[in-house]
Amino acid sequence: MGLFGPASADSWRLNAVVEHQNDEEIAVGFADTADLIVEHWINRGPNDLLFVPLVYNHRHALELILKAAIRESAARLRAAGHNDDNVDQDAVDDWLANKAKHSLHKLVNRLDGLLARLDEGKLPDDTHRTLMSIHELDPTGEAFRYAKVKSSDGALVDAPR
Protein backbone atom coordinates (compact mmCIF):
# COMPACT_ATOMS: atom_id res chain seq x y z
CA MET A 1 0.00 0.00 0.00
CA GLY A 2 1.34 3.43 -0.90
CA LEU A 3 1.44 6.45 1.33
CA PHE A 4 -1.83 7.81 -0.05
CA GLY A 5 -3.64 4.52 -0.59
CA PRO A 6 -7.23 3.89 0.44
CA ALA A 7 -7.83 4.15 4.17
CA SER A 8 -8.73 1.05 6.14
CA ALA A 9 -9.26 0.41 9.82
CA ASP A 10 -5.64 -0.67 10.30
CA SER A 11 -3.91 1.84 7.99
CA TRP A 12 -5.59 5.19 8.61
CA ARG A 13 -2.34 6.74 9.90
CA LEU A 14 -0.78 6.36 6.44
CA ASN A 15 -3.28 8.65 4.76
CA ALA A 16 -3.62 12.38 4.36
CA VAL A 17 -6.82 14.31 3.75
CA VAL A 18 -6.23 17.20 1.38
CA GLU A 19 -9.14 19.36 0.38
CA HIS A 20 -9.27 20.81 -3.11
CA GLN A 21 -7.68 24.24 -3.01
CA ASN A 22 -7.62 27.06 -5.54
CA ASP A 23 -4.45 28.78 -6.78
CA GLU A 24 -4.74 31.58 -4.22
CA GLU A 25 -4.90 29.12 -1.31
CA ILE A 26 -2.00 27.08 -2.67
CA ALA A 27 -0.02 30.31 -3.15
CA VAL A 28 -0.49 31.14 0.51
CA GLY A 29 0.87 27.70 1.41
CA PHE A 30 4.00 28.23 -0.71
CA ALA A 31 4.53 31.71 0.76
CA ASP A 32 4.04 30.40 4.30
CA THR A 33 6.53 27.60 3.61
CA ALA A 34 9.09 30.19 2.48
CA ASP A 35 8.43 32.15 5.66
CA LEU A 36 9.09 29.00 7.70
CA ILE A 37 12.46 28.65 5.99
CA VAL A 38 13.30 32.25 6.89
CA GLU A 39 12.19 31.59 10.47
CA HIS A 40 14.40 28.49 10.53
CA TRP A 41 17.37 30.59 9.39
CA ILE A 42 16.68 33.19 12.07
CA ASN A 43 16.43 30.58 14.82
CA ARG A 44 19.08 28.07 13.72
CA GLY A 45 21.35 29.99 11.39
CA PRO A 46 21.64 30.02 7.61
CA ASN A 47 21.54 26.77 5.70
CA ASP A 48 22.67 27.15 2.09
CA LEU A 49 20.70 24.04 1.09
CA LEU A 50 17.49 25.88 1.96
CA PHE A 51 18.18 28.93 -0.22
CA VAL A 52 16.95 27.46 -3.51
CA PRO A 53 13.74 26.06 -1.95
CA LEU A 54 13.19 29.44 -0.27
CA VAL A 55 13.42 31.29 -3.59
CA TYR A 56 11.36 28.66 -5.40
CA ASN A 57 8.56 28.79 -2.83
CA HIS A 58 8.32 32.58 -3.04
CA ARG A 59 8.51 32.57 -6.84
CA HIS A 60 5.85 29.87 -7.14
CA ALA A 61 3.59 31.74 -4.71
CA LEU A 62 3.86 34.82 -6.94
CA GLU A 63 3.08 32.79 -10.05
CA LEU A 64 0.01 31.24 -8.47
CA ILE A 65 -1.32 34.52 -7.08
CA LEU A 66 -0.97 36.09 -10.54
CA LYS A 67 -2.92 33.18 -12.03
CA ALA A 68 -5.61 33.56 -9.38
CA ALA A 69 -5.83 37.30 -10.08
CA ILE A 70 -6.19 36.62 -13.81
CA ARG A 71 -9.01 34.15 -13.17
CA GLU A 72 -10.75 36.59 -10.81
CA SER A 73 -10.38 39.53 -13.20
CA ALA A 74 -11.73 37.45 -16.09
CA ALA A 75 -14.68 36.33 -13.92
CA ARG A 76 -15.48 39.96 -13.08
CA LEU A 77 -15.39 40.90 -16.75
CA ARG A 78 -17.69 37.98 -17.60
CA ALA A 79 -20.07 39.14 -14.87
CA ALA A 80 -20.04 42.59 -16.51
CA GLY A 81 -21.11 41.06 -19.82
CA HIS A 82 -17.81 40.53 -21.64
CA ASN A 83 -17.56 37.26 -23.55
CA ASP A 84 -14.32 37.19 -25.57
CA ASP A 85 -11.49 34.61 -25.36
CA ASN A 86 -9.54 36.77 -22.90
CA VAL A 87 -12.27 36.27 -20.30
CA ASP A 88 -13.92 32.94 -21.26
CA GLN A 89 -13.22 30.58 -18.35
CA ASP A 90 -12.12 27.60 -20.45
CA ALA A 91 -10.00 29.81 -22.72
CA VAL A 92 -8.36 31.47 -19.70
CA ASP A 93 -7.59 28.10 -18.10
CA ASP A 94 -6.18 26.81 -21.40
CA TRP A 95 -4.03 29.93 -21.84
CA LEU A 96 -2.69 29.67 -18.30
CA ALA A 97 -1.80 25.99 -18.70
CA ASN A 98 -0.54 25.93 -22.28
CA LYS A 99 0.62 29.41 -23.23
CA ALA A 100 1.62 31.31 -20.08
CA LYS A 101 2.78 28.21 -18.22
CA HIS A 102 5.26 29.58 -15.64
CA SER A 103 6.13 32.88 -17.34
CA LEU A 104 5.75 35.75 -14.89
CA HIS A 105 6.17 38.15 -17.82
CA LYS A 106 3.17 36.70 -19.70
CA LEU A 107 1.10 36.55 -16.52
CA VAL A 108 1.80 40.17 -15.59
CA ASN A 109 0.99 41.41 -19.09
CA ARG A 110 -2.28 39.47 -19.18
CA LEU A 111 -3.28 40.69 -15.73
CA ASP A 112 -2.49 44.30 -16.65
CA GLY A 113 -4.71 44.02 -19.71
CA LEU A 114 -7.59 42.62 -17.68
CA LEU A 115 -7.17 45.22 -14.95
CA ALA A 116 -7.25 47.99 -17.57
CA ARG A 117 -10.52 46.61 -18.93
CA LEU A 118 -11.89 46.70 -15.38
CA ASP A 119 -10.76 50.35 -15.08
CA GLU A 120 -8.38 49.32 -12.29
CA GLY A 121 -5.22 50.62 -13.95
CA LYS A 122 -2.29 48.23 -13.89
CA LEU A 123 0.09 46.82 -11.35
CA PRO A 124 2.33 49.47 -9.74
CA ASP A 125 5.67 50.17 -11.42
CA ASP A 126 7.71 48.85 -8.48
CA THR A 127 5.70 45.62 -8.55
CA HIS A 128 6.40 45.35 -12.29
CA ARG A 129 10.13 45.86 -11.77
CA THR A 130 10.27 43.25 -9.04
CA LEU A 131 8.27 40.67 -10.98
CA MET A 132 10.30 41.26 -14.14
CA SER A 133 13.55 40.89 -12.18
CA ILE A 134 12.35 37.54 -10.87
CA HIS A 135 11.21 36.58 -14.38
CA GLU A 136 14.67 37.37 -15.77
CA LEU A 137 16.26 35.11 -13.14
CA ASP A 138 13.82 32.29 -13.90
CA PRO A 139 11.82 32.79 -17.11
CA THR A 140 10.50 29.21 -17.28
CA GLY A 141 9.89 28.50 -13.60
CA GLU A 142 12.58 25.82 -13.61
CA ALA A 143 15.76 27.54 -12.41
CA PHE A 144 14.91 27.11 -8.74
CA ARG A 145 12.95 23.89 -9.20
CA TYR A 146 15.58 21.63 -10.78
CA ALA A 147 19.36 21.23 -10.80
CA LYS A 148 19.31 20.37 -14.52
CA VAL A 149 16.92 21.62 -17.21
CA LYS A 150 16.52 20.95 -20.93
CA SER A 151 18.14 23.46 -23.24
CA SER A 152 16.52 24.55 -26.51
CA ASP A 153 18.25 21.63 -28.29
CA GLY A 154 16.99 19.12 -25.72
CA ALA A 155 20.29 18.60 -23.89
CA LEU A 156 20.35 18.64 -20.08
CA VAL A 157 22.24 21.63 -18.73
CA ASP A 158 22.70 23.20 -15.31
CA ALA A 159 19.72 25.31 -14.37
CA PRO A 160 20.54 29.01 -14.79
CA ARG A 161 20.82 30.87 -11.49
Side-chain angles (χ1 to χ4, degrees):
M1 175 201 260
L3 180 61
F4 295 107
S8 66
D10 61 341
S11 67
W12 64 270
R13 287 186 203 96
L14 299 177
N15 286 274
V17 177
V18 180
E19 295 177 20
H20 180 75
Q21 298 169 324
N22 62 32
D23 282 341
E24 183 178 358
E25 293 165 329
I26 295 170
V28 170
F30 276 98
D32 286 351
T33 299
D35 290 345
L36 289 171
I37 294 171
V38 171
E39 185 178 311
H40 177 83
W41 277 20
I42 291 168
N43 294 328
R44 298 179 74 182
N47 177 343
D48 289 347
L49 295 177
L50 295 178
F51 178 74
V52 170
L54 169 66
V55 174
Y56 174 75
N57 278 285
H58 272 303
R59 190 219 180 273
H60 197 55
L62 290 169
E63 176 186 328
L64 289 173
I65 207 69
L66 287 168
K67 288 179 176 183
I70 288 168
R71 285 189 174 102
E72 177 65 24
S73 297
R76 289 178 184 221
L77 285 164
R78 286 193 306 275
H82 297 264
N83 62 1
D84 56 89
D85 281 347
N86 284 328
V87 300
D88 175 77
Q89 185 173 352
D90 290 337
V92 169
D93 287 341
D94 182 67
W95 182 83
L96 289 170
N98 298 309
K99 298 283 193 284
K101 297 182 181 178
H102 306 289
S103 171
L104 297 180
H105 184 263
K106 289 179 182 178
L107 295 170
V108 166
N109 286 340
R110 183 69 167 255
L111 180 58
D112 274 343
L114 294 170
L115 291 173
R117 290 178 66 184
L118 288 166
D119 293 324
E120 296 292 336
K122 64 176 194 166
L123 295 172
D125 289 340
D126 59 338
T127 301
H128 263 271
R129 282 191 299 277
T130 300
L131 290 170
M132 290 307 98
S133 293
I134 296 168
H135 173 78
E136 288 173 16
L137 287 173
D138 187 11
T140 64
E142 296 178 328
F144 297 100
R145 182 187 293 195
Y146 305 112
K148 300 269 187 191
V149 296
K150 284 187 181 178
S151 66
S152 57
D153 65 2
L156 280 180
V157 297
D158 289 337
R161 291 201 185 100

